[in-house]
Amino acid sequence: MDKEEEKAASEEKDHIPPENERSGTDKCLPEAKEKEKETKHFIRSTLWTTAKNFTVERGWQQIEELISHHSQISSTRQRESQCDAFIQQTWDIHESWLHHSEFLKEEELKDSKRYHYRACWGIPTRRKPIPQATASVYFVIVISKFRPDTAPVEVFYRLESSRLIRRPEQCQFREKWLKDIIENKIACTERLAFR
C-alpha cells in the first residue's frame, strides 16, 4: 500500500498540465507579463579558457571580464545583435561600486589544482573616499587532473560571509549581497565602538 501511495504522489507531483490548461498571466494580468519581461535577468555565459591554455594572469583576466561593468563588443553588428547582453550584465551591480581583484594562492590537491582569487568591493563617495567597509568575493578556478587538457576550467565563487559556493553560469549575482556584508560590518563596528 505504501508503494501505491508513493507512486500516486510521484505522478501527481510530476504532472504538468497541458498548455491549454495552464493559467497564464497574459490573459488575466497583461501588465504583470510586461513587467516580468522588463525585470528578467540574463546570465551571460563566459567561455572559460581550457586547462591547457590556463595561466594565473588569464584566470584573473576572465574573472575581471565576468565582474566588469562594461562588456567590450568589437563590431557594430555584434553590438546590435547582442544589445540585451550588453545592457544586462552577468553581475547586477551599480556602476558606483568599485573593486580591485588579486591572485591569492595556488593549491595542489591529489585530483586537481586550484587557483584562488579575491575581488574586494566598496563604494567610495565624495565625503568618504575611503569606504567604511568593503565586501570580498572569493573565486576558485579548478583544473581537474582527470579531465582532458582541452576541457574548460571550472569556476566557483563565494561571498566572504557565506559558505555557500556558487557557479557564475548558474546564479545571477546581486548587489544586495555586497550591501548586506557592508551593512553588517558597519553595524558590528558601531557596536564595538560603544563598549
Side-chain angles (χ1 to χ4, degrees):
M1 190 134 208
D2 290 330
K3 289 183 180 181
E4 289 176 0
E5 289 175 8
E6 287 177 10
K7 186 178 178 184
S10 173
E11 288 174 358
E12 197 172 307
K13 188 171 79 175
D14 293 341
H15 176 69
I16 299 172
E19 192 67 39
N20 59 357
E21 290 181 22
R22 294 183 195 163
S23 60
T25 56
D26 52 338
K27 291 180 184 173
C28 45
L29 295 172
E31 65 277 354
K33 181 87 169 171
E34 191 61 37
K35 194 170 194 174
E36 181 183 329
K37 283 182 187 176
E38 292 173 9
T39 59
K40 220 176 228 183
H41 292 282
F42 296 98
I43 299 176
R44 182 182 67 205
S45 60
T46 302
L47 296 174
W48 297 102
T49 189
T50 61
K52 180 173 58 175
N53 296 331
F54 178 82
T55 63
V56 170
E57 180 69 21
R58 181 69 184 132
W60 176 79
Q61 287 172 350
Q62 288 205 293
I63 289 170
E64 280 294 318
E65 288 172 18
L66 175 71
I67 64 179
S68 68
H69 295 294
H70 307 289
S71 292
Q72 294 182 355
I73 298 177
S74 55
S75 71
T76 307
R77 179 177 285 168
Q78 278 182 315
R79 188 175 293 123
E80 290 169 358
S81 67
Q82 298 178 357
C83 184
D84 288 341
F86 186 75
I87 294 167
Q88 301 276 348
Q89 297 300 312
T90 304
W91 283 38
D92 189 15
I93 298 175
H94 190 268
E95 62 187 21
S96 62
W97 286 89
L98 296 179
H99 77 278
H100 77 275
S101 57
E102 61 185 338
F103 173 72
L104 297 175
K105 67 178 181 175
E106 179 181 334
E107 184 180 21
E108 180 88 32
L109 301 175
K110 67 179 180 182
D111 63 341
S112 64
K113 259 190 174 178
R114 296 178 181 210
Y115 297 86
H116 297 261
Y117 298 83
R118 179 179 67 168
C120 188
W121 294 87
I123 303 179
T125 62
R126 192 176 293 165
R127 287 187 174 172
K128 294 183 181 180
I130 299 174
Q132 282 184 288
T134 59
S136 292
V137 180
Y138 295 94
F139 292 87
V140 178
I141 297 179
V142 179
I143 299 176
S144 173
K145 293 181 180 177
F146 301 117
R147 295 177 70 194
D149 284 349
T150 56
V153 298
E154 293 181 294
V155 180
F156 304 92
Y157 70 90
R158 71 171 186 81
L159 302 169
E160 73 175 82
S161 61
S162 173
R163 286 194 260 175
L164 179 63
I165 297 171
R166 296 176 169 94
R167 295 184 77 133
E169 63 272 7
Q170 293 178 345
C171 184
Q172 174 73 32
F173 192 87
R174 303 277 184 244
E175 179 179 341
K176 183 184 181 328
W177 299 341
L178 297 176
K179 285 181 180 178
D180 289 346
I181 293 169
I182 289 175
E183 287 171 4
N184 288 336
K185 283 183 175 181
I186 292 171
C188 184
T189 304
E190 289 171 353
R191 270 188 245 129
L192 291 173
F194 287 117
R195 287 188 172 186

